[in-house]
Amino acid sequence: MADPMRIRAATLGDSTEVKVLMSHEMETGQRKDAQGQTIPAWFIQNVIVTWNGRTVLSAQWGTAVSKNPFLSFKFKGGAKGDKIAISWMDNRGDKRTDETVIA
Amino acid sequence: MRPHASLGLLVVTAIVGACATVMDESETAARAAAALKASFRPAGQAGLDRLEQDETQRACSLAAGKAPPKDVAAMIEQANLATIRYPADGKLLGDWKNGERIAQEGRGKQFSDDPKGPVGANCYACHELSKAEVSFGTIGPSLYQYGKLRGNSVDVQRYTFGKIYNSEAFAACTNMPRFGHKGILSEQQIKDVAALLLDPASPVNQ
Amino acid sequence: MKAVRAVFALAALAVAPSLLAQGPTADGIAKYRAALQDGNPAELWEGRGEALWKQERGPKQVSLERCDLGLGAGVVKGAYAQLPRYFTDADRVMDLETRLVWCMVTLQGYTEADAKKNPFGSGNDRKSDLEALTAYITSESRGVKMNVPMRHAKEAEAYRVGEKLFYFRGGTHDFACATCHSEEGKRIRLQDLPNLTTAEGAQKAYTTWPAYRVSQGELRTFEWRLYDCFRQQRFPELVFGSDVAIALTMFLARNANGAPFDAPAIKR
Amino acid sequence: MNEMRRRLIQSGGGMTLLGLLLAAGWLKPEEAQAQTWNKAAFDTHSLTDTMKALGGGDPAQSKDIVFFQTPEIAENGAVVPIGVTSNIPKTESIAILIEKNPNLLAAVFDIPTGTETSISTRVKMAQSSNVYALVRADGKYYVAAKDIKVTLGGCGG
């Protein structure tokens, strides 16, 4: 089970800034272990960010996104106390959803 | 090795003797030695013998980051100069291209390194050499245009080979490893690094 | 021999000044480091560590919340800024990691071997609880001024031994801590090296560990920093929580006194 | 997946419908995601192939795509911060491509109306390379490039 994400969401004027850190190996599939065996690719493929249930960003990722991914963006209309939910799913089908409220 | 054997004693009297708190100092040293013994375990190719200091290491540790007294420095240099073995074939320069690879290679002798894997000199960790490599350190002086500035005479070649072989022969308590004396690099590797520094075709001299 | 000496003298004079040491490369790296500050994955460790601290675990199924880190049972805030220190119950100077092991043994009932079996994690399959706990506890000293005590004789002794060890040369390469860390403004490759013999250098270095190492994708503690320095010094393996680790930590932490603690950080 | 869901997703084509379905609570986010990973594009190994797979065969160079918080030199290729802002009206998506990576495509961000057309993330770079930001706006494609140098780290770790 992956560790919880760390999500920050804060309003700045009329826009809300969302910053998230995710705990994930983001293994490229190009590396070899000590025995010379290729370590299989294991990475987040999809990310969806919703604000009170409405999608404000969706992303498709490849193996080149860094380990323990970071993502930041802004959207308009958010207000203090609104719910931000972020979900990811990786190529093994593991998934995780975490929520926060806008500060 | 006679010069080395007497070196330790001389240094102890020269440095420790000058301290006001001799008892305190020697007690601290004893505790530090005990701590070292109890705090490491052998791993990979690095055994506990690596904590056993030779006289040069002991003398330079006592100097505690400062230049050792002149007479001590002279003894250290003399003892180390005697260890340098110049190539039997008289050829002091090898292939600068191999030298560049050795200069870039940071692996070797760490407990995490494959004992059969490459052993480099990691020159770029501390020195600027070729202009093409912008990721270089500054613990040692820039060696860019090393040969261009000094020429390529036999004397320069001998000094260069010797400096790589045993740097303590020329500057007591230098930060630079003794690549030949401590068996880090082979004779051929030292020749190759010397060529990187001195070969007119080497990128170092462009 | 004379010729060799003469050449050496000449060589010393002819050292070319380094032009690339400053300028665009250094600027670029500074920008890179600045860009990393916004979003430090160390937070992921802090979160896990806080949960571990509060979780009832071990054979005795109790949390670590009654662990005394030096400021009284359960006090986390500011504790790291006053470590290492002498603990009467253990009759020993301890750094944070050693103290955590102590609490895991005495409070939670783990064996010492179990408590320290994975000090430095790697990847998802071998996450280190000690690193996570250290991330959490150190984060609770962010902004607190370093104030490592030297009241007890054993604290003073640890400091002196640490200083001695700092200058200890050994191994195949004759390296000591001092080889890389006793001059101003030096680098290995492009990595700036703090001069740990000055208060300013020790402060800058010590207050920015633990750190998330982007090169490894892992959070690393100060014990790891020492462990890996010795590896690169070509020494044998430093034992976790050993006297050398604690004495050197004491020497550096104490030298950092007066500066606000500012970690977990993010580094190359 | 049930037939109803399959038809809904196929008929709608893309994120707009998915967004609606998510908003309506019809699909949970993690269920919707599996449908939208562009394997063909992520598997490409050349710039032209990647652009083509993303639908942007021959994008126009644009000065309205700006990199921010993106260094010229990365001290470590494992983590290279990349920020991209598109000032092109009706920007719908931003993709990040790294020319000299084994697989060029790093990420695609679909940006619904109401979200600022600016994202910041971190990518791995195998070596020094051009990094491209490919923007789709009002169905058309635009591109901007930035050269990023990746240096060696310290003494091995």
Side-chain angles (χ1 to χ4, degrees):
Chain A
M1 183 67 186
D3 288 330
M5 291 177 233
R6 302 282 276 191
I7 307 171
R8 291 221 172 90
T11 51
L12 306 150
D14 65 340
S15 76
T16 299
E17 183 174 46
V18 180
K19 288 183 184 180
V20 58
L21 286 158
M22 306 171 188
S23 176
H24 204 283
E25 289 295 297
M26 300 302 287
E27 192 61 59
T28 60
Q30 317 262 350
R31 296 197 313 149
K32 289 190 171 29
D33 64 16
Q35 284 75 45
Q37 302 284 314
T38 301
I39 305 170
W42 179 31
F43 60 103
I44 293 173
Q45 289 187 314
N46 290 93
V47 179
I48 289 190
V49 186
T50 61
W51 158 50
N52 287 343
R54 203 170 115 192
T55 300
V56 287
L57 190 75
S58 63
Q60 303 172 51
W61 285 353
T63 54
V65 170
S66 299
K67 180 174 176 177
N68 298 318
F70 170 75
L71 170 65
S72 153
F73 70 100
K74 291 175 191 165
F75 68 90
K76 292 206 179 348
K80 276 197 173 87
D82 289 355
K83 195 170 88 173
I84 300 290
I86 304 183
S87 300
W88 58 250
M89 184 158 86
D90 68 24
N91 66 323
R92 289 182 184 174
D94 290 342
K95 51 192 95 161
R96 166 140 209 131
T97 299
D98 290 284
E99 293 179 0
T100 191
V101 291
I102 299 175
Chain B
M1 195 190 314
R2 199 163 292 272
H4 248 149
S6 56
L7 181 58
L9 270 177
L10 180 93
V11 170
V12 171
T13 38
I15 298 174
V16 178
C19 277
T21 51
V22 175
M23 283 310 288
D24 193 32
E25 169 65 28
S26 62
E27 198 184 313
T28 302
R31 287 189 193 268
L36 276 163
K37 262 206 173 69
S39 298
F40 289 87
R41 62 174 155 248
Q45 56 183 298
L48 295 181
D49 56 317
R50 293 206 181 169
L51 300 173
E52 287 163 20
Q53 293 178 311
D54 66 21
E55 295 302 341
T56 299
Q57 290 174 335
R58 186 167 303 141
C60 292
S61 300
L62 282 167
K66 293 169 194 75
K70 271 208 176 74
D71 50 345
V72 175
M75 286 198 74
I76 291 170
E77 289 170 11
Q78 195 191 339
N80 281 285
L81 197 59
T83 71
I84 300 176
R85 277 185 226 130
Y86 289 94
D89 64 3
K91 279 192 62 182
L92 292 157
L93 302 189
D95 177 354
W96 69 260
K97 285 182 188 144
N98 278 336
E100 168 71 14
R101 276 191 283 276
I102 295 161
Q104 289 280 4
E105 179 60 64
R107 286 171 293 179
K109 304 288 181 192
Q110 298 170 126
F111 65 68
S112 52
D113 290 327
D114 177 356
K116 289 184 228 113
V119 179
N122 208 9
C123 308
Y124 282 103
C126 299
H127 296 283
E128 181 183 29
L129 291 109
S130 155
K131 277 286 168 195
E133 180 53 84
V134 299
S135 180
F136 60 84
T138 59
I139 294 175
S142 170
L143 302 174
Y144 175 60
Q145 297 198 327
Y146 179 93
K148 203 167 184 172
L149 294 166
R150 292 167 181 79
N152 197 6
S153 68
V154 173
D155 282 346
V156 171
Q157 290 185 15
R158 269 184 78 81
Y159 164 70
T160 303
F161 183 96
K163 175 78 181 179
I164 301 165
Y165 192 99
N166 191 337
S167 55
E168 294 280 349
F170 307 98
C173 303
T174 172
N175 288 324
M176 182 167 154
R178 295 171 285 175
F179 290 102
H181 178 59
K182 297 289 273 183
I184 302 163
L185 298 182
S186 68
E187 181 182 285
Q188 185 57 49
Q189 284 181 304
I190 296 174
K191 288 180 178 185
D192 291 342
V193 176
L196 177 69
L197 292 168
L198 289 171
D199 194 317
S202 158
V204 168
N205 296 317
Q206 302 315 305
Chain C
M1 215 48 61
K2 248 193 182 131
V4 172
R5 293 280 172 163
V7 170
F8 175 60
L10 186 100
L13 286 173
V15 167
S18 166
L19 296 174
L20 261 176
Q22 297 89 32
T25 303
D27 273 5
I29 296 294
K31 276 186 200 152
Y32 171 82
R33 288 176 191 162
L36 284 183
Q37 299 308 314
D38 186 25
N40 182 352
E43 277 187 35
L44 298 164
W45 275 257
E46 293 168 26
R48 198 163 72 83
E50 184 173 5
L52 281 169
W53 179 259
K54 293 174 178 168
Q55 192 188 330
E56 290 166 357
R57 300 168 74 225
K60 294 188 189 165
Q61 283 296 300
V62 294
S63 83
L64 286 168
E65 286 166 297
R66 292 203 46 77
C67 176
D68 181 357
L69 298 171
L71 304 183
V75 180
V76 174
K77 193 97 203 149
Y80 190 68
Q82 296 190 38
L83 285 169
R85 67 190 301 143
Y86 174 78
F87 287 89
T88 315
D89 52 9
D91 187 28
R92 193 184 169 198
V93 175
M94 291 170 148
D95 63 354
L96 173 60
E97 289 99 314
T98 314
R99 188 61 186 173
L100 282 171
V101 168
W102 171 270
C103 287
M104 287 169 76
V105 171
T106 55
L107 295 176
Q108 296 183 312
Y110 286 105
T111 64
E112 191 176 329
D114 268 351
K116 16 167 145 166
K117 71 168 181 263
N118 187 21
F120 313 129
S122 78
N124 197 58
D125 304 329
R126 271 195 47 215
K127 287 182 179 169
S128 162
D129 292 348
L130 282 168
E131 280 177 340
L133 285 163
T134 301
Y136 162 60
I137 290 156
T138 55
S139 76
E140 291 288 311
S141 282
R142 195 184 290 280
V144 179
K145 270 194 183 153
M146 290 298 303
N147 186 20
V148 176
M150 203 136 76
R151 285 182 292 268
H152 196 277
K154 290 203 175 180
E155 290 167 346
E157 182 193 305
Y159 181 89
R160 282 199 313 273
V161 169
E163 182 173 31
K164 196 92 199 148
L165 293 167
F166 184 82
Y167 291 105
F168 181 89
R169 286 190 180 215
T172 52
H173 286 55
D174 304 333
F175 289 153
C177 305
T179 306
C180 290
H181 294 294
S182 60
E183 280 185 83
E184 290 302 318
K186 299 292 181 183
R187 305 189 320 227
I188 287 183
R189 291 279 186 175
L190 290 177
Q191 193 65 24
D192 294 320
L193 296 164
N195 177 358
L196 300 176
T197 64
T198 66
E200 202 187 1
Q203 287 170 344
K204 204 174 152 197
Y206 190 81
T207 59
T208 54
W209 288 95
Y212 181 78
R213 289 296 291 266
V214 302
S215 50
Q216 304 174 15
E218 297 284 352
L219 177 120
R220 295 309 189 193
T221 61
F222 196 72
E223 277 247 7
W224 176 89
R225 180 58 283 175
L226 292 174
Y227 173 91
D228 206 54
C229 272
F230 279 119
R231 179 182 68 84
Q232 292 177 321
Q233 269 174 251
R234 274 74 182 174
F235 278 39
E237 194 172 23
L238 180 66
V239 173
F240 184 80
S242 61
D243 290 344
V244 165
I246 292 168
L248 274 170
T249 304
M250 186 71 190
F251 175 61
L252 295 167
R254 170 82 188 179
N255 287 349
N257 267 5
F261 185 72
D262 192 23
I266 183 166
K267 292 171 193 261
R268 122 191 117 75
Chain D
M1 183 170 60
N2 70 36
E3 191 52 30
M4 166 77 113
R5 209 169 275 177
R6 190 193 306 277
R7 262 191 287 129
L8 270 167
I9 291 162
Q10 284 171 348
S11 65
M15 291 312 302
T16 316
L17 175 62
L18 276 172
L20 286 169
L21 291 171
L22 287 163
W26 181 260
L27 280 179
K28 294 200 178 79
E30 59 266 28
E31 288 174 313
Q33 287 167 32
Q35 316 301 324
T36 58
W37 196 70
N38 190 342
K39 186 171 189 312
F42 279 104
D43 282 349
T44 54
H45 303 285
S46 79
L47 195 57
T48 44
D49 287 353
T50 313
M51 299 269 192
K52 211 185 286 171
L54 288 170
D58 190 17
Q61 298 280 334
S62 174
K63 287 193 180 117
D64 294 322
I65 304 169
V66 184
F67 288 92
F68 69 96
Q69 267 198 16
T70 307
E72 277 83 30
I73 299 177
E75 195 172 15
N76 195 290
V79 180
V80 184
I82 305 276
V84 178
T85 298
S86 168
N87 295 316
I88 303 167
K90 295 190 182 169
T91 290
E92 296 152 355
S93 78
I94 298 174
I96 297 167
L97 286 64
I98 299 151
E99 189 168 12
K100 290 191 180 158
N101 272 8
N103 297 76
L104 276 77
L105 185 57
V108 184
F109 297 89
D110 286 303
I111 301 171
T113 310
T115 296
E116 293 184 20
T117 54
S118 178
I119 53 95
S120 169
T121 187
R122 291 168 185 173
V123 299
K124 298 170 206 155
M125 291 180 65
Q127 55 181 305
S128 299
S129 170
N130 263 324
V131 173
Y132 295 93
L134 180 70
V135 169
R136 191 183 73 213
D138 205 14
K140 296 191 190 67
Y141 287 84
Y142 305 87
V143 72
K146 186 178 172 86
D147 184 36
I148 299 179
K149 198 171 176 65
V150 176
T151 66
L152 285 175
C155 51

